[in-house]
Structure formats: structure tokens, C-alpha cells
Amino acid sequence: MQARLNRAKLTELEPIFYPQSIAVVGVSADEQRIGSQWLRCLVSSGFKGRLYPVNPRGGELFGLRVYRSLRSIPGPVDLVIVCVPRASVLDLLDDCAARRIKAVYFFTAGFTEAGEREWVEVQREMVVRARRGGFRIIGPNCFGVYCPEHGIPFGPFGLQAGVGSVGLISQSSGHMGKILEFGMTRGIGFSKGVSIGNASDLGAADFLEYLALDHKTDIVGVYLEGPRDSRRLLEIMRVASETKPVVVLKGGRSDAGARATAFHTGALAAPAHVWSGALRQAGAVEVHSVDELADTLLVFEKSGRFSQANLAAVCGITDGGGGEAVLVSDACADAGIGVPALTEETGRELVGLLGQVGSVLCNPVDLSQRQRAPQVLRRVMELLAGEPEVDLLAVYENAGVILDAFPREKAEAITATIVDFSNTRRKPVLVILPPGPAETRRLEIERKLSAAGIPVFPSIGRAARAIDNVRGYWRLRARRDEAERKG
Amino acid sequence: MQARLNRAKLTELEPIFYPQSIAVVGVSADEQRIGSQWLRCLVSSGFKGRLYPVNPRGGELFGLRVYRSLRSIPGPVDLVIVCVPRASVLDLLDDCAARRIKAVYFFTAGFTEAGEREWVEVQREMVVRARRGGFRIIGPNCFGVYCPEHGIPFGPFGLQAGVGSVGLISQSSGHMGKILEFGMTRGIGFSKGVSIGNASDLGAADFLEYLALDHKTDIVGVYLEGPRDSRRLLEIMRVASETKPVVVLKGGRSDAGARATAFHTGALAAPAHVWSGALRQAGAVEVHSVDELADTLLVFEKSGRFSQANLAAVCGITDGGGGEAVLVSDACADAGIGVPALTEETGRELVGLLGQVGSVLCNPVDLSQRQRAPQVLRRVMELLAGEPEVDLLAVYENAGVILDAFPREKAEAITATIVDFSNTRRKPVLVILPPGPAETRRLEIERKLSAAGIPVFPSIGRAARAIDNVRGYWRLRARRDEAERKG
């Protein structure tokens, strides 16, 4: 008996990501205050629906009329963003009910996570009132929704990364912001996302069900601390993982982490190994840091489906390729990534191209002892992509040396060659571009590669772990598909 | 019976790091060629001794007379840098002997690492001629020496990091360059360094003996592939580790890595676990990536001696501290770093400072729910440093959010507060400064912190591993010192 996702979730949560109107409660004449900043970001991000600022004093802000209360807004209100002190939230919820809103989220904090009994009670009462009023709560203690396609930026600072196929659910607004930041520089695109804070009402399970059904979301990234509804979440995760990868970072793995978790979102934690086992059983991909989460989402989004991960690498675009080749091999071995030997035919052509006997039959290929014209790099990439045992190509672009050694045009020609080759889509290409002293120009290169949909990593170790994660998921899928075909 | 270091090594290798004169053989009228570039870097780095460019055609380059041969140079020559094709090296060595030089290093490659028997023979013959001529060879296939104090930059691109107490030995010029690059941005200072390439004559053991004796070197970083003289190297390492930390990255740990190693420096490799065991026995600190090597050298150089590593952290300088605190705790637990609870007295003052009940007795301290004035940050750091169980302080500076949320002056005041506190030297301070979309300004912050001698890390995971490495060494030293005192 297979559990199914409830398609009603799509309709139910649709107004949260695609509201026709938003009220921001808690704006102020001081444009530096959080509520006002939030409103400004919604205005400038081009939100297409109606925006209603709310403050008891009324007035005008960023060209919009400020309403004295939710009740005084003339048209319908789908979504409410709340930045008022915690003492006023209960009254506000009655107003929300009167306006028949669909959902509300609370930047306002100081409830279960603060550990004071009185406010734990208030959080419970909030949910009671929302149920009674027929609407849902996101948070409190969160930044809420991100939906770039619909012009909703993330949080009061208006973070905006590109549109793409990654959906996010996070119990920490900070981590979700960090993932979006990585997305901005490294080209991860997002369908939508939500930070759920204390998850008093809607929780990770609800949003995972929604994202699993959402046809604009191909990959789901999740940051969990201790969800209230673990059992249901894991069950939904199991079903969701059958159709799309679910990548999970579980915070609070350690005792100290669990203690911090309790204070952060008021959640309780199970031991790390219990969580790891449960996530594995649910078919999720577990990661262990925010960096690894971003790296893995990036490879899932950009590199297509691969259940084998044999890597061919090009090192030494300038000198120094020997050491790079050794560490690429070691890092791949540590992550269980194959670095296959090349066929004799390819070896022979490499001898012709690169000259020296020693290095040429070897993968990684080390270009460093010869002329490194862009057309040589191109041909080497073609040869490696033509190898039957090679699934992925990595280019080690040591920008520090390249920018020192080559005139600007030549350094740019190298990047252009990698982009051109990647555009042929013969095999997925990744680039290792370690940081160094020439950061401004290195970041230019990173931006160009990222804009071309090429995953860029600061180290081969991080690339190898991400590749391993992605391979693990697709291998499982391949086995299941095979079993279904036979069964 | 304790092995001793041979103090004669100091005198023998002194002219390699502090030559009074250098000849660069293989300059050309084309200023873009390697030899000419190398010469230019020596000129512009302010090398204080005499420089003699050599090319059969003579002429002048960068204001220096070009000599037609080594033999035609008028004064004594201590050190020779060679960038000629491999076919000419044997003749050149006879000239070196005639000039009674002290040492020579060969950028020239294509010997044992190329795998052609003829050139393996030539490399062997090179050593024979050097022995006969009474001088030493570094390389071939290397960038050779770095000695910033003496105005010798590293390699033909003239890499230069600051002067400090870290000495380097590397079988890869590329990796050594990368470590120097990290040094430039992150403030690691170097006493001297050497890339040894194929290590036909002088090898890692020789230079380790020298650096162990060198009173300007307090920490040694080593990148090894497969040294020829493993037994002697490990023996010297054991003695060296008794007086200063020796941090070792062993490349070629995997089969694939060993294959790449063979082609890189012609070295043979033993299995990884054998090496790991031997390094541990020798008292060395083993690391597993270039990043981890740089991170560990940085903490050794900047953070003093600690054999306990209990960390107190400050998170949430803007919002988002809750998630940061959870991940700091988890990453520390993964690396075996303690995150101790705070004393009641400190807790009480934190309640007064930060207000909210939930988070304040907890380490990491999360500032995010309250006013984050720099003076509050300062007081929190003082309180944490005053905790008897706290050995190190970490500040999580999420530059992306800080730069968005605060006006420039306030963002700068935060950095200045951290620097000021660090300057009081009460307890070592580290900063976690993850990359994001505001890289130009983030790098400004990194530079300021680094210039103040504060280790900066892109993630808490990397910081925690480096701290664990450093703690491991000093703990061992503390035990040994204790045993000696008792014994």
C-alpha cells in the first residue's frame, strides 16, 4: 500500500505563494524599521498584486496609503505579514479572521523559543484562533515566504535569487537566506521557498507535500531542527523522494546543537543517528552543513541525472597541474567517485596534443607542461567527454595563477572555452575555482560560469561530496525504476 | 636514545635561503618568457643581493647586464635558477661546478616524472655531477625557494605573502603557491619555503631538518607525495615535532592519487593508512586538503598555545543567529570541540544585556532578538572571555546580512569591536565570515580582521577542524612536557 500525497494541499497553500494581495502590519513612518523595510522590498521587487501597509497612525509610505487597521482595508486580503510586538498578535488574529484572509506569517518572535510559559500559551492560542478563523499561520519567528516568480522577495532585506527549480523549506530564516545568497552567486534558481520558524501551525510536512506536488519544483532543499510532526514528515518525504530529490540538513545533531535548537525554534531533538537512519529510509539525501546543502542543490539542478559518477578532470591550465591532479584523485577517492583510466585511442591523441609521455594516458589530464591554448583545452575536453567510462568532466581553473600568468584576453578565452563546451551538453561540466588573492576577477569568472549553468566549487573536496550525494539519489531511483519495470 | 638534528644543516642550506647572489639561466629578450618573468619578479621584489641574468646572446634586461654564460659572470654566484630546456642541463651543471656555486634549482621539467628512461638517467647523472661539483640541487621540476625576508619571491609569477613564522616544504609548486595565496588574503606569514619537485638531491627530510633548527620558523607546513627518503624524513619529523608543530598533507592517498603522484614527481606511494599511522607516530598533524593545511597553519600562527579547546560563540549579530548557533554547536561536536554552558553569573548579566530569557544562558549566545550595538557585542565578548571554561571565542559575522541590514559605519563598527577585543589578547578570537553576494565588502572585512591577526574562516566546519588539529598537537606536547617533568 503506497501512501499518496493529498492534491488538495496544492489549492490550500497556493495563496501563500501566489497571493493576490498582501497586508504588511507593523510598518512605521521610520523607513529603517523592519516593517517599512519589508514593504519597500515588496514594492521594489515588483510584486504584482495589491500591497496594503497597516499602522494605526495611517499616512502614506513609498507612495502607498497606510491603513489604520486590517479591517479598514477596502479589498480582499490573501496574506498578512506581521512585524508588531508579540503583545498585539492575538487581537490581530481576530482582525485576520474578520477579513477572511488565507494565511498570515509572523516575523514577530518571543513565543515557544523564548521558553516563557505565558508566551508558549499565547502561541497555542494563536493556532486556536487561526483554526477558528479558517486561515493558516506560518511561524511565528520567521521570514516566511519567498516566491521570485510572483515578485515576493525573502524577508525584510529583500533577498532575491533567480527563478529555477529548487524549492526550499527551512526552520531557520538565516540559513534559508544563506542558501539564497549562494544561489545568487552560484546560479542556483528557486521555484519558491518558505522559512517556517516555530511552525506552530503549518510545518515542514505541509510544505513538503506542497512542493512535492508543485510542478515548478524539481528538487527540494530542507533545513530541519526538530519538527513537531516527524512521523508525518518522514512519510511524506518517502513519497516525495520517489519523484524528486529531497536534500535535508538536520540541525541539532549534537547535544550542544540540540540545546541550541531548543532555544531557536522551541523544538525537541532526537539523537543524530536516529535521524540519519530515518532520513535514509525515507529516501532523502542527508547533508551536514549549509555549504554542502547548497553544493548538492546546485549539482541536482545543473548536472542532470547520473547514477554512475566517473569523473575525468583537466588540471594545470597553467603550471601546477601535477599537485592538482593528485588532490583531485584523492578527494574523489575519499567520496567514492571513480577517476577512470583513459582508452588507448584517447591516450594516443593526447600524446599528439600534449607531447609528453608520462602524464598523457593518465586521468586527471595535466596540461601544465605544454602550450595551453584554448583550442587544446577544448579538444582535451572533447576527448574526455568521448570516453565511454566518463560521466562527468571537471576543470580545475586555478584563477590566481591564470590571472597572473596570462593576459586578460587569454584568461577570458579559457573561461569562454569551458562555457562553449558545456553548452554542447555532451557531458556535465563542473569547475573547481579556488579562492585566492585576485578575488574580484575570480568572482567575474565565477559569475560567467554560473550564468552558463556550470556548477562552480571552491574546492574539489566539496565538489566530490556533492557529486556523491546526487549520484546516490539517482542510483536509488534507477534501482527502483528497474524493480518496478520487472515487478 | 633521542635522535638529534644536525646543526650543520643550518650552515649548509643557509645560502639557499639567503644567497648573496643569484644567476637566472634562461632569460630571453622576450619579457613574457618564464626566465625573464622570473628575473623581473626578483628585481621588483627588492632582492638585496646581486642578480646575474644569463643568455648566450648577452644584451641587457630590466637594466641588468645579461651574461653569455655562468662562467663569464665576474663575481661569486651562490644560487642558480634554471629555466632552460632539459637537453642543456648537464652542460650547465659543469659550469655550476666551475663557478663553485652553493646550490641550483631547476624549473626545467621532464625527468623522472615524465617516465622516459633516458631522462630518468639524466636526472641521476645531474645528482652525480652536483656531488662531484660540491653543490646541491633543488628539483628539478619545481619553483624552488621562497624567502620574503630576503626579497626572494616564489616562482616566475613572483608570489609574495607576508613575513611570519610558518616555514613550508612542498612537493608541488602549485600547492605551495596556493598556500601563499591563502596567506596573502588571510594573513598567514612565512619565514621561508621551498618547493622541491622531483627532489633528486635535497629532499623533504633535508629541509625539514633545516626548518626545525631555523629560529625564525615556529610552525612547519609540508605537502608530500612520495618522498624518496621516507624513513629519514619520519625520523626527523619525530624530532622536529618535539619543538614545533609539523603539519602534513600527504597527496596520493588513494590508488588514483598515487597514480597521479607517480606522474607528477615520479614518486612511489605507500597505502594511505600506513602513512597516516607513521605521521601520527612521528607526532605530525595530518590534514587532508590544501584548505585544511592553510586553516591549520593559520590557527597555529595566530591563536597561541591551547591544549583544551572549549569554544564560546557569538551568533546573530543581525537576525539569523538561531540557526547559526545550532550549526556552530553541531560542527564543534563533529570535531570534538566543547561548547560549554555558561556560569550563572554570566547568564544573569546576559539577561540584563539581551533581555530575553530563553537564549541567554546558552552558548552559543544569540544576539539576534535585541539591539546589537557594538558596545553590547563588546561586553558579551568580555563576559565569554571571562568564563573559566572557555578557551577560544568565535564570532559569526554573517557579512551578507550585516551589510544589507546596517549602514556602512555600523557594519564597520562591528568589525572594529572584534579587532579591539582581539587586541586585548584575553583569549584567542576567531571569526566565521561566510561568502555571499557582497563579496567586495566582505573581503574588505576579511582583510581588516586578518591584518589584526584574527583567523577568518568561510565556515564553522573548517574552523572547528583546524582548532581540533591545533589542540591535538598542544595536548600531546603538554603530556610530553608533563611526563618529562615527572620523569
Side-chain angles (χ1 to χ4, degrees):
Chain A
M1 292 299 287
Q2 176 135 327
R4 304 224 161 256
L5 301 174
N6 178 6
R7 296 196 61 84
K9 226 21 166 225
L10 269 185
T11 327
E12 187 188 0
L13 303 192
E14 202 75 0
I16 292 174
F17 295 105
Y18 301 96
Q20 296 308 306
S21 51
I22 302 178
V24 182
V25 180
V27 302
S28 100
D30 177 355
E31 296 186 6
Q32 294 303 312
R33 300 293 288 272
I34 288 284
S36 311
Q37 279 194 41
W38 211 312
L39 179 69
R40 181 175 47 205
C41 294
L42 278 162
V43 170
S44 66
S45 74
F47 172 65
K48 290 290 191 294
R50 287 170 184 277
L51 282 173
Y52 302 114
V54 177
N55 181 297
R57 296 206 189 108
E60 194 172 294
L61 198 60
F62 310 123
L64 295 168
R65 176 175 164 195
V66 178
Y67 293 87
R68 293 182 189 273
S69 72
L70 268 184
R71 291 178 193 255
S72 62
I73 294 170
V77 176
D78 282 350
L79 187 67
V80 179
I81 302 176
V82 182
C83 314
V84 299
R86 58 183 176 173
S88 355
V89 295
L90 288 179
D91 290 343
L92 183 70
L93 285 169
D94 292 334
D95 288 359
C96 288
R99 292 311 316 254
R100 308 180 67 99
I101 67 156
K102 305 286 175 37
V104 53
Y105 55 89
F106 289 90
F107 174 73
T108 310
F111 300 93
T112 52
E113 87 283 8
E116 300 154 287
R117 197 189 303 171
E118 177 192 356
W119 293 100
V120 172
E121 266 317 307
V122 171
Q123 183 174 311
R124 202 166 297 147
E125 175 63 18
M126 286 161 71
V127 180
V128 170
R129 294 201 190 186
R131 285 278 145 74
R132 203 190 299 146
F135 61 91
R136 307 302 303 254
I137 294 176
I138 304 153
N141 184 23
C142 76
F143 276 11
V145 169
Y146 175 58
C147 191
E149 180 200 27
H150 197 61
I152 303 182
F154 184 59
F157 310 126
L159 270 180
Q160 292 201 72
V163 175
S165 62
V166 174
L168 293 177
I169 302 165
S170 177
Q171 260 182 288
S172 156
S173 303
H175 292 335
M176 182 159 149
K178 208 65 212 166
I179 300 283
L180 295 181
E181 284 187 6
F182 286 134
M184 290 161 74
T185 51
R186 300 172 71 195
I188 309 172
F190 300 91
S191 57
K192 50 193 54 83
V194 60
S195 88
I196 58 176
N198 296 1
S200 63
D201 175 22
L202 286 171
D206 299 292
F207 287 108
L208 182 57
E209 193 164 19
Y210 177 87
L211 292 179
L213 291 163
D214 177 38
H215 71 276
K216 294 189 172 164
T217 300
D218 294 333
I219 309 124
V220 184
V222 184
Y223 172 70
L224 288 180
E225 291 185 350
R228 206 172 12 84
D229 46 1
S230 314
R231 196 178 299 255
R232 190 174 146 237
L233 174 65
L234 289 164
E235 182 53 27
I236 289 175
M237 201 177 279
R238 196 179 61 72
V239 184
S241 295
E242 289 176 11
T243 54
K244 49 189 89 171
V246 180
V247 188
V248 180
L249 172 60
K250 173 67 180 67
R253 293 192 304 278
S254 61
D255 289 350
R259 211 165 58 227
T261 289
F263 290 122
H264 181 211
T265 51
L268 290 172
H273 68 276
V274 173
W275 266 104
S276 293
L279 291 173
R280 197 168 44 245
Q281 285 228 321
V285 178
E286 191 183 9
V287 295
H288 293 89
S289 69
V290 175
D291 289 344
E292 192 186 352
L293 177 53
D295 292 346
T296 303
L297 294 173
L298 179 64
V299 176
F300 266 121
E301 198 190 28
K302 305 301 177 195
S303 302
R305 184 170 172 156
F306 53 88
S307 50
Q308 302 287 327
N310 290 308
L311 185 99
V314 185
C315 296
I317 289 181
T318 62
D319 256 304
E324 289 166 11
V326 173
L327 288 196
V328 166
S329 305
D330 283 347
C332 286
D334 288 348
I337 307 295
V339 184
L342 306 177
T343 55
E344 270 186 47
E345 197 186 337
T346 293
R348 268 196 302 276
E349 187 167 345
L350 287 174
V351 172
L353 273 172
L354 305 174
Q356 206 142 295
V357 173
S359 56
V360 290
L361 277 170
C362 193
N363 173 23
V365 176
D366 176 8
L367 305 187
S368 51
Q369 298 298 335
R370 295 282 145 175
Q371 282 303 330
R372 284 82 41 171
Q375 56 272 34
V376 172
L377 172 60
R378 167 80 190 213
R379 184 63 194 142
V380 169
M381 292 182 79
E382 276 167 2
L383 284 169
L384 295 178
E387 287 287 280
E389 280 204 46
V390 167
D391 306 297
L392 299 153
L393 258 59
V395 181
Y396 209 108
E397 212 181 343
N398 193 344
V401 180
I402 290 169
L403 298 174
D404 275 343
F406 293 151
R408 191 178 185 102
E409 315 78 62
K410 194 159 177 193
E412 280 173 3
I414 289 167
T415 301
T417 302
I418 299 169
V419 168
D420 278 354
F421 183 80
S422 171
N423 287 340
T424 65
R425 309 221 163 269
R426 291 192 52 193
K427 296 230 167 124
V429 175
L430 304 94
V431 171
I432 315 304
L433 190 73
E439 279 301 278
T440 312
R441 288 187 60 197
R442 191 189 69 84
L443 290 165
E444 272 176 41
I445 299 176
E446 179 171 302
R447 261 188 297 268
K448 275 183 199 162
L449 294 167
S450 299
I454 298 172
V456 176
F457 297 88
S459 73
I460 178 65
R462 279 180 53 178
R465 273 189 299 277
I467 292 169
D468 180 39
N469 290 338
V470 172
R471 183 251 318 254
Y473 175 79
W474 290 118
R475 182 184 278 173
L476 209 66
R477 277 282 298 268
R479 280 194 202 131
R480 203 165 43 214
D481 294 355
E482 178 76 8
E484 274 176 20
R485 215 170 42 241
K486 283 186 183 160
Chain B
M1 291 298 288
Q2 176 135 327
R4 302 226 161 254
L5 301 174
N6 178 5
R7 297 197 60 84
K9 229 10 164 234
L10 268 185
T11 328
E12 187 189 359
L13 303 192
E14 202 74 1
I16 292 175
F17 295 104
Y18 301 94
Q20 296 309 305
S21 51
I22 302 178
V24 183
V25 180
V27 303
S28 101
D30 177 355
E31 296 186 4
Q32 294 303 312
R33 300 292 290 272
I34 287 285
S36 310
Q37 278 194 42
W38 211 313
L39 180 68
R40 181 177 45 203
C41 294
L42 278 162
V43 170
S44 65
S45 74
F47 172 66
K48 290 289 190 297
R50 287 169 184 279
L51 282 174
Y52 301 114
V54 177
N55 180 296
R57 298 207 188 104
E60 193 171 292
L61 197 59
F62 311 123
L64 295 168
R65 177 175 163 194
V66 177
Y67 293 87
R68 292 181 190 274
S69 71
L70 269 184
R71 291 176 193 258
S72 61
I73 294 171
V77 176
D78 282 350
L79 187 67
V80 180
I81 301 176
V82 181
C83 315
V84 298
R86 59 184 176 173
S88 353
V89 296
L90 289 179
D91 291 344
L92 183 71
L93 285 169
D94 293 334
D95 289 359
C96 287
R99 292 310 319 253
R100 308 180 67 98
I101 67 156
K102 307 284 176 35
V104 55
Y105 55 88
F106 290 90
F107 173 72
T108 311
F111 300 93
T112 51
E113 86 283 8
E116 299 154 288
R117 198 189 304 171
E118 177 192 357
W119 294 100
V120 172
E121 265 316 308
V122 171
Q123 183 174 311
R124 204 167 296 146
E125 175 63 18
M126 286 161 70
V127 179
V128 170
R129 295 201 190 186
R131 287 277 144 75
R132 202 191 299 149
F135 60 92
R136 307 302 303 255
I137 294 177
I138 304 152
N141 183 23
C142 75
F143 276 11
V145 170
Y146 176 58
C147 192
E149 180 200 27
H150 198 60
I152 304 182
F154 183 58
F157 311 125
L159 268 180
Q160 292 201 73
V163 175
S165 62
V166 174
L168 292 178
I169 302 166
S170 177
Q171 259 181 289
S172 157
S173 304
H175 292 334
M176 182 159 149
K178 206 67 212 165
I179 300 284
L180 295 181
E181 284 187 4
F182 286 134
M184 291 161 73
T185 50
R186 300 172 69 196
I188 308 171
F190 300 90
S191 57
K192 50 192 56 83
V194 61
S195 88
I196 59 177
N198 296 0
S200 64
D201 175 22
L202 286 171
D206 299 292
F207 287 109
L208 182 58
E209 193 164 21
Y210 177 87
L211 292 179
L213 291 162
D214 176 38
H215 71 277
K216 293 189 173 165
T217 300
D218 295 333
I219 308 125
V220 184
V222 184
Y223 172 71
L224 288 180
E225 290 184 352
R228 208 173 11 84
D229 45 1
S230 314
R231 196 176 300 254
R232 190 175 145 238
L233 174 64
L234 289 164
E235 183 52 27
I236 289 176
M237 201 176 280
R238 197 179 61 71
V239 185
S241 296
E242 288 175 11
T243 54
K244 49 188 89 170
V246 180
V247 188
V248 180
L249 173 60
K250 172 68 180 64
R253 293 192 306 276
S254 62
D255 290 349
R259 210 165 60 226
T261 291
F263 290 122
H264 180 211
T265 52
L268 291 172
H273 68 275
V274 173
W275 267 104
S276 292
L279 291 172
R280 196 168 46 244
Q281 285 230 320
V285 178
E286 190 184 10
V287 295
H288 293 89
S289 69
V290 176
D291 288 344
E292 191 186 352
L293 177 53
D295 292 345
T296 304
L297 295 173
L298 178 65
V299 175
F300 267 122
E301 198 189 30
K302 304 302 177 195
S303 303
R305 184 171 173 155
F306 53 88
S307 49
Q308 302 287 326
N310 290 306
L311 185 99
V314 185
C315 296
I317 290 180
T318 63
D319 255 305
E324 289 166 13
V326 173
L327 289 195
V328 166
S329 303
D330 283 347
C332 286
D334 288 348
I337 307 295
V339 183
L342 306 178
T343 54
E344 269 185 50
E345 198 186 336
T346 293
R348 268 195 303 275
E349 188 167 343
L350 286 175
V351 173
L353 272 171
L354 305 173
Q356 207 142 292
V357 172
S359 57
V360 291
L361 276 169
C362 193
N363 173 22
V365 176
D366 175 8
L367 305 188
S368 50
Q369 298 298 336
R370 295 280 145 176
Q371 282 302 330
R372 284 81 42 170
Q375 57 272 34
V376 172
L377 172 62
R378 168 79 190 214
R379 184 62 195 144
V380 169
M381 293 182 78
E382 276 167 3
L383 284 170
L384 295 178
E387 287 288 281
E389 281 204 45
V390 167
D391 305 298
L392 299 152
L393 257 59
V395 181
Y396 209 108
E397 214 182 341
N398 193 344
V401 181
I402 290 169
L403 297 174
D404 275 342
F406 293 152
R408 192 179 185 103
E409 315 77 63
K410 193 159 178 192
E412 280 172 4
I414 289 167
T415 301
T417 301
I418 299 169
V419 168
D420 278 354
F421 183 80
S422 172
N423 286 340
T424 66
R425 308 222 163 271
R426 290 192 53 193
K427 297 234 166 119
V429 175
L430 306 93
V431 171
I432 315 304
L433 191 72
E439 279 302 277
T440 313
R441 288 187 61 197
R442 190 190 69 85
L443 290 164
E444 272 177 41
I445 299 176
E446 179 171 303
R447 262 189 296 269
K448 274 184 200 162
L449 294 166
S450 298
I454 299 172
V456 176
F457 297 87
S459 71
I460 179 66
R462 281 178 55 177
R465 275 189 297 278
I467 292 169
D468 179 39
N469 290 337
V470 171
R471 182 251 320 253
Y473 175 80
W474 289 119
R475 183 183 276 174
L476 209 66
R477 278 281 299 266
R479 281 194 202 131
R480 204 165 43 215
D481 294 355
E482 178 75 8
E484 273 177 22
R485 216 174 38 242
K486 283 187 180 159

